[in-house]
Amino acid sequence: MHRDIYCTKSTNEHRTYEFVSDGPKGSIKKVIKFEVMGYNLYNLCFGDWEETTQSIDDKARSNNHDRDKVIATVASTVMSFIKYYPNATIFAKGSTPARTRLYQMGILANWQEISIFLHIKGYIDEEWRPIQKHINYNAFLAWSK
């Protein structure tokens, strides 16, 4: 990916990635986790790391003025994950419609790089369709070409 991204650290299994968002609100730990949903099907979980509960807060609004860099970082971890799990399908849906829209913005902003390596479909009207601009999808599936 040719966009500015944060440096990530991953687990040995390459299923969890961490990075720190730096901005006016300070340094905020972010975590991306690929959780097993079924055979070769993984849910992309993303959000701020909540130390007290030791969990991802996918509803946190950090407003650290680095949205594009954060989205590009999440996209880069998808590409990394696919390298280690080439038969995986990734399911992504935001915790709110606005967050799902952010995922879509990230996909489309990085489309030239992503489309070389991944097939992506969006879920709308109770079916999976090839992703297109100007359509707001409810969820996404991505898998290696």
Side-chain angles (χ1 to χ4, degrees):
M1 309 223 37
H2 300 292
R3 299 197 182 269
D4 191 21
I5 63 171
Y6 284 109
C7 180
T8 60
K9 179 176 80 170
S10 73
T11 62
N12 289 340
E13 304 86 31
H14 299 279
R15 286 196 191 164
T16 303
Y17 296 79
E18 301 175 356
F19 66 95
V20 176
S21 160
D22 288 313
K25 302 278 179 143
S27 297
I28 301 168
K29 183 177 177 180
K30 306 274 188 181
V31 175
I32 304 146
K33 187 173 185 179
F34 296 90
E35 292 184 337
V36 175
M37 294 177 70
Y39 181 72
N40 282 335
L41 179 61
Y42 296 84
N43 182 38
L44 187 155
C45 304
F46 168 68
D48 292 2
W49 183 251
E50 180 57 52
E51 279 299 325
T52 54
T53 61
Q54 294 289 292
S55 64
I56 297 171
D57 181 355
D58 64 355
K59 291 186 173 52
R61 292 185 57 138
S62 45
N63 294 324
N64 220 4
H65 300 288
D66 59 350
R67 181 190 72 190
D68 293 343
K69 189 172 183 178
V70 168
I71 290 171
T73 303
V74 173
S76 76
T77 66
V78 169
M79 302 303 289
S80 175
F81 177 80
I82 286 291
K83 278 196 309 193
Y84 292 98
Y85 298 89
N87 296 319
T89 298
I90 300 167
F91 173 83
K93 180 179 181 178
S95 57
T96 66
R99 298 225 174 181
T100 301
R101 178 79 177 116
L102 278 177
Y103 284 167
Q104 182 167 337
M105 289 168 55
I107 291 166
L108 293 174
N110 296 286
W111 185 248
Q112 276 195 295
E113 296 96 335
I114 290 171
S115 64
I116 294 168
F117 302 103
L118 298 176
H119 294 284
I120 299 181
K121 288 196 174 184
Y123 189 74
I124 189 166
D125 297 331
E126 299 185 26
E127 68 178 346
W128 292 101
R129 300 180 185 173
I131 192 167
Q132 297 176 345
K133 290 182 180 181
H134 311 297
I135 296 175
N136 291 332
Y137 297 96
N138 300 311
F140 302 93
L141 286 178
W143 64 96
S144 184
K145 284 191 171 179

